[in-house]
Amino acid sequence: MSEVVHQSLPAVEVRHVYAAYDGQAVLEDVHIDLPAGEWTAIIGPNGAGKSTLFRILLGVMKAQRGQVQVLGQEPSAQRRAGVMAYMAQQEAVEWDFPISVRDTVLTGRYGHMRGDAFWRRIVPPRWCDPRHWAVVRQALKAVDMQDYADRPIGALSGGQKKRVLLARALAQEARVLLLDEPLAGVDTASERLIMKVLDGERRSGRTVIMVTHDMDSARRYADKVLLLNRQVVGMGAPERMLVDEMLARTAAAGWVRDHEPLVEAS
Amino acid sequence: MAWFESLGMALIDVLIAGLMLIVGLFPEALSAPFDYAFMQRALLTSILVGAICGLLSCFVVLKRWSLLGDAISHAVLPGVAIAYLLGWPFFIGAFLAGAVSALGIGALERHTRIKSDAAMGLMFTFAFALGVVIIGKIATNTHLMHILFGNVLGVQYPALMLTLFSGVVALVAVWVFYRSLVLYTFDPMQAQALGFNTSVVHYGLILLLTLTIVASLETVGIILVVAMLITPGATAHLLTDRLTTMMLLSVGTGILSAVLGLYLSFLFDVASGGAIVLVATALFAVALLAAPRHGLVGRWWRRRRGAAAMVP
């Protein structure tokens, strides 16, 4: 019974959100539920407010108007509670930084380490609780990077970098995964692996929310597609959202609003 | 406070005695300058300053804060001058001025359309000009020269104690807050996403930087401390791909430059601050050429070998 109730609760509730930078509106009256335990792909052109929506979901930016809740709580509280894991775009990370693949994934555990014994928290991270290392090993294995654990991150290829970032997000053991362009600039082998890993996460009950430009993988893997361009253009099954008419509406929605959003009941 | 001072002086005497034991192992020609008490104090100060600057310079280099370090160090000048006017210990004024200017830069960046490099340039030239004007009114040019370029051979116990204290604070802070500092430097967005309070880490790191600059004031001066906050870290970054190794190497090159620079300045009777920075730069040049993975020679060699391997 409780399982059913949990499934019907949305993971993310966005209520009439309005956000702007320097008076320039980026999100206008965005009002949508993202279902829990499902895989949602957010699709929209550059500058459509996808990254802004992510920042609001993570609670690192506040919407000027409207409310957002993640699993029934304020995003910033949920972020501190470790409910969400965030996988950044590749450009956001300093790849020249002198750090190994293994230690990079371990940074995903830094939030959990707040619960460790005091002495563990003030010694260098390599002497952290062994259970963190166990999670790191598992995450590296999941993305097939265990053989690269000692490499400096600067020596990796584009697809490998993405896989390390994904491993770091997995290591957080969060209930909601937020992924910003997980497929940008990766080879097909890495792409297939990343999608397989995310599919496994979804099957084990996690909520996956990804921003992407890749229609093919959205069509193939996502349960729901959210079409976004400053406003919600549509939300529903991929086969009904990723059609020419809806995509044309999405492209135009940055300037005009001549259609009501098409939101399918879940 | 008296017990605190005598404890500090006793600790310094112990450290100097220990250093002299090590110096005694070297041949007479090398160790002779350190028979003077002022050279012994200068040696201890140089080692401490080299170590603190080396540690912090890792963060400065990796966080791309070189210009911010430059800005804070210049902004310290009016603080010193105003403290002198009010009869306060100079380091309190210096510390406050550095912190206020760092906050001012942050506010300009965040709340106006001024970009960060312009905000820094604007603040530090303003503070520096203010300092030059005030000092010109109240003190001699020698004072100004000592603040600008340091006077390590004239270091007395109070300054040495301040340096020692700053060193201990910096070391403990980096040790205890290692995770927050490293994650914030590496990937601030991730630090935020993991629930770290990044503004606290940001200003904490700035305060550490200010403390380091104040501690180095008498040794290399506020102009050349910038070099000690950049060069050791840059040298170490060329030599390794591990952060802890980088910190150790950076501290090592910081100490080596300070000690060697001090010795050479005594030997050739040249300005000690300048000599220290020149040695640091020479070490950087060696690393740039000879570093195993990131050095120019190694790269050239690998490219040549790679090209040779292509030829069937």
Side-chain angles (χ1 to χ4, degrees):
Chain A
M1 180 65 197
S2 67
E3 186 75 351
V4 177
V5 172
H6 177 77
Q7 284 298 317
S8 65
L9 268 178
V12 175
E13 297 164 81
V14 183
R15 294 283 166 266
H16 300 293
V17 158
Y18 174 94
Y21 290 111
D22 294 329
Q24 191 76 34
V26 189
L27 295 173
E28 281 181 275
D29 198 26
V30 170
H31 187 89
I32 200 78
D33 285 346
L34 302 183
E38 291 193 30
W39 184 337
T40 306
I42 304 177
I43 287 182
N46 291 329
K50 297 169 300 204
S51 299
T52 307
L53 183 60
F54 260 26
R55 294 178 69 81
I56 293 173
L57 295 186
L58 275 169
V60 298
M61 176 184 160
K62 265 215 163 326
Q64 269 85 352
R65 284 205 295 274
Q67 267 96 45
V68 175
Q69 292 210 319
V70 175
L71 297 174
Q73 299 273 323
E74 280 286 301
S76 52
Q78 295 291 54
R79 167 167 56 94
R80 277 189 286 275
V83 165
M84 292 172 278
Y86 169 69
M87 176 176 158
Q89 290 196 43
Q90 220 149 301
E91 298 77 45
V93 175
E94 188 82 58
W95 293 100
D96 263 346
F97 203 86
I99 190 169
S100 68
V101 166
R102 182 185 285 119
D103 288 345
T104 305
V105 178
L106 187 69
T107 62
R109 301 296 300 171
Y110 281 14
H112 294 263
M113 287 181 193
R114 277 192 283 263
D116 288 356
F118 178 73
W119 73 268
R120 291 234 191 241
R121 276 181 284 148
I122 58 164
V123 297
R126 85 174 52 173
W127 293 307
C128 68
D129 198 313
R131 73 195 162 89
H132 297 306
W133 283 122
V135 176
V136 167
R137 266 195 305 278
Q138 220 178 348
L140 279 172
K141 201 161 170 245
V143 300
D144 198 19
M145 286 292 287
Q146 65 273 44
D147 297 339
Y148 295 83
D150 285 317
R151 296 266 180 103
I153 55 168
L156 302 176
S157 73
Q160 291 169 336
K161 285 175 179 169
K162 280 285 183 203
R163 276 145 64 187
V164 171
L165 290 181
L166 179 59
R168 181 171 74 169
L170 295 179
Q172 293 177 41
E173 298 186 309
R175 287 162 69 189
V176 180
L177 286 170
L178 297 170
L179 311 142
D180 200 349
E181 295 281 1
L183 299 176
V186 303
D187 51 291
T188 30
S190 289
E191 178 182 324
R192 211 169 300 133
L193 182 75
I194 290 169
M195 289 294 118
K196 201 188 84 192
V197 170
L198 291 177
D199 197 45
E201 291 300 302
R202 198 257 331 250
R203 277 171 206 282
S204 63
R206 301 210 156 92
T207 304
V208 178
I209 301 169
M210 71 171 183
V211 161
T212 187
H213 277 110
D214 189 330
M215 309 269 177
D216 285 338
S217 13
R219 198 171 279 128
R220 183 140 16 123
Y221 295 99
D223 301 306
K224 294 276 158 56
V225 166
L226 167 62
L227 296 175
L228 184 76
N229 192 1
R230 275 174 52 185
Q231 41 195 314
V232 174
V233 178
M235 166 85 182
E239 58 272 21
R240 278 182 297 282
M241 291 298 132
L242 299 173
V243 293
D244 290 344
E245 195 208 338
M246 293 305 291
L247 293 173
R249 264 193 225 177
T250 311
W255 305 282
V256 289
R257 177 166 208 171
D258 45 10
H259 294 279
E260 281 302 301
L262 180 71
V263 178
E264 296 185 332
S266 50
Chain B
M1 283 311 271
W3 66 269
F4 186 76
E5 271 190 296
S6 38
L7 181 76
M9 283 173 78
L11 185 59
I12 288 167
D13 286 336
V14 169
L15 287 173
I16 287 181
L19 274 178
M20 286 312 109
L21 279 179
I22 300 172
V23 169
L25 298 176
F26 287 92
E28 176 68 26
L30 281 176
S31 66
F34 298 100
D35 290 343
Y36 300 101
F38 75 89
M39 275 303 277
Q40 298 177 356
R41 285 196 296 272
L43 179 66
L44 181 59
T45 317
S46 303
I47 290 175
L48 288 171
V49 167
I52 315 171
C53 288
L55 184 64
L56 262 293
S57 86
C58 290
F59 292 102
V60 170
V61 166
L62 292 172
K63 190 93 196 117
R64 306 180 184 200
W65 270 7
S66 302
L67 190 57
L68 185 64
D70 197 6
I72 297 174
S73 69
H74 282 74
V76 155
L77 190 63
V80 176
I82 291 169
Y84 185 84
L85 270 181
L86 298 175
W88 291 355
F90 80 93
F91 60 87
I92 294 183
F95 191 75
L96 286 179
V100 165
S101 65
L103 288 175
I105 291 166
L108 267 183
E109 248 176 306
R110 227 160 280 177
H111 302 298
T112 70
R113 61 187 303 179
I114 310 286
K115 302 280 182 288
S116 68
D117 60 331
M120 286 181 217
L122 201 139
M123 282 299 288
F124 90 72
T125 46
F126 157 70
F128 196 65
L130 185 66
V132 169
V133 167
I134 299 176
I135 288 185
K137 268 290 180 210
I138 58 171
T140 62
N141 271 332
T142 340
H143 267 94
L144 184 61
M145 289 302 278
H146 282 174
I147 297 169
L148 292 185
F149 299 111
N151 178 29
V152 69
L153 300 182
V155 166
Q156 298 298 324
Y157 274 97
L160 191 41
M161 246 185 306
L162 170 71
T163 308
L164 185 63
F165 174 76
S166 317
V168 172
V169 169
L171 190 67
V172 170
V174 170
W175 182 275
V176 173
F177 301 109
Y178 182 84
R179 265 165 232 176
S180 319
L181 292 171
V182 169
L183 188 57
Y184 178 64
T185 309
F186 175 42
D187 190 348
M189 183 70 186
Q190 175 76 4
Q192 226 174 1
L194 285 173
F196 285 85
N197 190 335
T198 45
S199 10
V200 170
V201 183
H202 179 87
Y203 287 112
L205 193 52
I206 285 181
L207 285 185
L208 271 183
L209 200 57
T210 312
L211 189 73
T212 309
I213 289 166
V214 172
S216 322
L217 212 75
E218 302 225 0
T219 319
V220 282
I222 59 178
I223 309 276
L224 293 179
V225 68
V226 186
M228 290 304 282
L229 281 172
I230 299 170
T231 316
T235 308
H237 197 190
L238 287 172
L239 292 173
T240 177
D241 286 312
R242 285 276 187 280
L243 184 61
T244 37
T245 318
M246 178 177 169
M247 285 178 170
L248 291 175
L249 284 172
S250 181
V251 167
T253 42
I255 293 176
L256 187 62
S257 336
V259 172
L260 209 55
L262 177 69
Y263 180 77
L264 293 175
S265 82
F266 183 88
L267 203 63
F268 299 111
D269 192 23
V270 293
S272 44
I276 290 173
V277 173
L278 288 181
V279 172
T281 313
L283 291 177
F284 172 78
V286 171
L288 183 63
L289 284 174
R293 267 176 57 88
H294 306 291
L296 295 179
V297 174
R299 274 193 190 178
W300 171 81
W301 179 248
R302 273 196 302 278
R303 206 170 323 141
R304 224 184 71 133
R305 228 180 28 181
M310 297 274 225
V311 179

